[in-house]
Amino acid sequence: MFSPQSIATILTLAAAVALGPLSTDMYLPALPRMTDDLNTSVDQMQLTLSVFFAGFAVAQLLYGPLADRFGRKPIMLAGLAIFSFASIGCAMAETVEQLMVYRFIQALGACGGPVLGRTMVRDIHGPEKAAPVLALIGTIMALAPAIAPVFGGGLIIWFDWQAIFLFLAFFGFVLMAVYGLKVQESLKEEYKKPFNLTTVMTSYKRLLKHREYIGYTLSCSFVYSGLFCFLSASSFVLINFFGVAEEHFGLYFALVVCGYVIGTQLVQRFSVYVGQRKMLMQGACTAAVAGIAMAIPSLLEKDTLAWLIAMQVLFMVGVGIVMPLSMGGALAPFSDIAGTASSLLGFLQAVCAATVGIIVGHMYNDTPLVMTVAISIMGILTLLSYRIFLHKKDQPQA
């Protein structure tokens, strides 16, 4: 068994948390080809992303309470099994409707990784050290969205888009074996909660009455939705509008992910000295400024690939700062219902992202305009969430 605080446990949890990004980012270069192969439209193909996040949202409401009752490990293993078998189903899909069904089921399994990964970090490292560890996991798992589109583009060239989902199934089965054999249960017996509707609703009511929990959750949800705008539309914008080759799309995406890594590294190195709340504000400002700067050329019909990528990199710096700090801040006061707190955060984050993704897909007009304006709005809402719910002049920053 791995020691709970060992780097091996952190790596395993990072791999579990990365199930979401892998499931979305790896097939991004294939979206235009899948649109043709499955004889469907751009908005229908983009809907496979939003359907995934809808399933991601629904399942999160159950994962946390179940994990608070039965422990993290059995629930995580069940999720990994669902994810792996559904990935095989995605590879076998012959219509976009079948793909949507399997993507929904795939999401039901995949969301266990992020929910329980965050929860286990809170279990093992406590409220004070959770945010830096989440930032470290964010840095490690950033390899997933950096490598996934490049690897996915290669699989398209060497095989076809079905190979992407078969690889995801293989990854899920391997992770299930490592997690089952090597990772220890992190939930203490005294923290186990009965699983019934009254207990669950009482916990959710307690969370929704907590002003700071709402502030952290909204900040995390809006900044992630800005990232999701880029995920859902970037392949069409870069490949169809700017003429980027499918096999080169992943390189641009990897460059964008570098911004996220920079943000998480800043959290690890400076959050203790600057103060977590003050640094969160700086990350929100970065996201808002980058989003506005990205949208201006689109509004003027002066889009350039270099400027769009540069501003998305800067936006991702903000994402890398805001997400680990807001996750750590949201879970910090709730050691007794950490799983439920993580579930509600993930649910609201996924609902927000899925809703924005559907709107972007429906309004997409074959130019970067819809994507860049949506990203700028999400950056502004992130900053407003901080100012309304978390900004207190009389409260210490650290």
Side-chain angles (χ1 to χ4, degrees):
M1 283 287 182
F2 297 145
S3 168
Q5 296 186 338
S6 68
I7 189 63
T9 296
I10 292 176
L11 289 172
T12 305
L13 294 178
V17 174
L19 285 179
L22 281 175
S23 302
T24 55
D25 301 348
M26 187 171 287
Y27 88 132
L28 291 180
L31 288 178
R33 182 180 295 192
M34 291 172 69
T35 302
D36 295 334
D37 286 357
L38 297 177
N39 192 28
T40 187
S41 61
V42 170
D43 63 318
Q44 286 290 98
M45 187 52 62
Q46 286 182 315
L47 197 56
T48 64
L49 271 169
S50 295
V51 163
F52 181 90
F53 274 85
F56 216 74
V58 170
Q60 293 198 59
L61 289 176
L62 293 175
Y63 270 100
L66 285 171
D68 283 341
R69 169 63 182 89
F70 299 105
R72 320 308 189 197
K73 191 166 183 175
I75 306 303
M76 176 77 87
L77 292 174
L80 290 172
I82 294 171
F83 169 82
S84 300
F85 284 111
S87 296
I88 295 174
C90 291
M92 298 172 62
E94 297 180 352
T95 66
V96 70
E97 289 79 14
Q98 291 178 5
L99 181 62
M100 287 182 190
V101 171
Y102 284 118
R103 285 285 286 170
F104 184 85
I105 299 172
Q106 186 189 38
L108 298 182
C111 80
V115 172
L116 301 180
R118 290 192 299 262
T119 305
M120 291 182 69
V121 169
R122 173 61 179 78
D123 291 342
I124 295 168
H125 297 279
E128 291 80 14
K129 296 182 179 179
V133 176
L134 285 169
L136 175 59
I137 288 179
T139 303
I140 297 169
M141 65 166 273
L143 294 173
I147 296 173
V150 179
F151 188 63
L155 289 175
I156 297 170
I157 296 171
W158 300 325
F159 304 101
D160 210 337
W161 60 264
Q162 291 88 347
I164 294 172
F165 293 103
L166 292 176
F167 174 81
L168 289 173
F170 171 76
F171 182 85
F173 284 126
V174 170
L175 183 57
M176 184 166 57
V178 174
Y179 191 91
L181 296 173
K182 294 293 185 180
V183 178
Q184 300 179 37
E185 176 60 61
S186 64
L187 179 63
K188 297 178 181 179
E189 281 294 324
E190 61 266 28
Y191 286 151
K192 286 190 175 181
K193 297 285 184 182
F195 182 75
N196 58 64
L197 183 60
T198 301
T199 303
V200 172
M201 295 307 295
T202 299
S203 297
Y204 283 138
K205 184 177 179 180
R206 175 183 164 192
L207 292 168
L208 291 173
K209 285 185 174 181
H210 197 281
R211 181 183 179 88
E212 292 186 4
Y213 179 84
I214 294 298
Y216 285 121
T217 299
L218 289 179
S219 297
C220 187
S221 298
F222 286 133
V223 81
Y224 183 77
S225 296
L227 165 59
F228 188 71
C229 293
F230 185 78
L231 292 179
S232 63
S234 59
S235 59
F236 297 100
V237 170
L238 268 64
I239 294 172
N240 293 343
F241 183 82
F242 287 112
V244 174
E246 289 179 343
E247 61 270 24
H248 296 155
F249 171 80
L251 300 178
Y252 287 96
F253 201 87
L255 183 61
V256 167
V257 172
C258 288
Y260 180 78
V261 174
I262 291 170
T264 58
Q265 285 292 306
L266 290 173
V267 172
Q268 288 184 68
R269 293 176 181 273
F270 300 113
S271 62
V272 174
Y273 308 105
V274 175
Q276 293 187 7
R277 187 168 295 186
K278 184 176 181 180
M279 195 162 192
L280 175 60
M281 181 269 292
Q282 294 169 346
C285 287
T286 301
V289 170
I292 293 169
M294 187 192 306
I296 290 174
S298 296
L299 293 169
L300 299 175
E301 298 184 354
K302 302 289 185 181
D303 294 290
T304 63
L305 179 59
W307 181 257
L308 186 148
I309 294 297
M311 291 303 97
Q312 184 62 29
V313 170
L314 184 60
F315 183 87
M316 291 296 287
V317 173
V319 175
I321 295 172
V322 171
M323 285 192 66
L325 289 174
S326 56
M327 288 176 183
L331 301 186
F334 304 106
S335 59
D336 57 328
I337 53 169
T340 304
S342 181
S343 277
L344 184 59
L345 184 152
F347 170 77
L348 295 174
Q349 175 182 299
V351 167
C352 186
T355 302
V356 172
I358 291 171
I359 294 171
V360 169
H362 181 71
M363 298 182 66
Y364 179 70
N365 63 350
D366 299 321
T367 75
L369 178 64
V370 174
M371 181 186 78
T372 57
V373 170
I375 290 172
S376 69
I377 292 172
M378 293 303 105
I380 293 168
L381 289 176
T382 302
L383 182 57
L384 286 176
S385 297
Y386 171 85
R387 294 291 301 182
I388 294 171
F389 292 98
L390 299 173
H391 181 66
K392 295 180 180 179
K393 294 181 179 179
D394 58 343
Q395 181 165 335
Q397 296 293 344

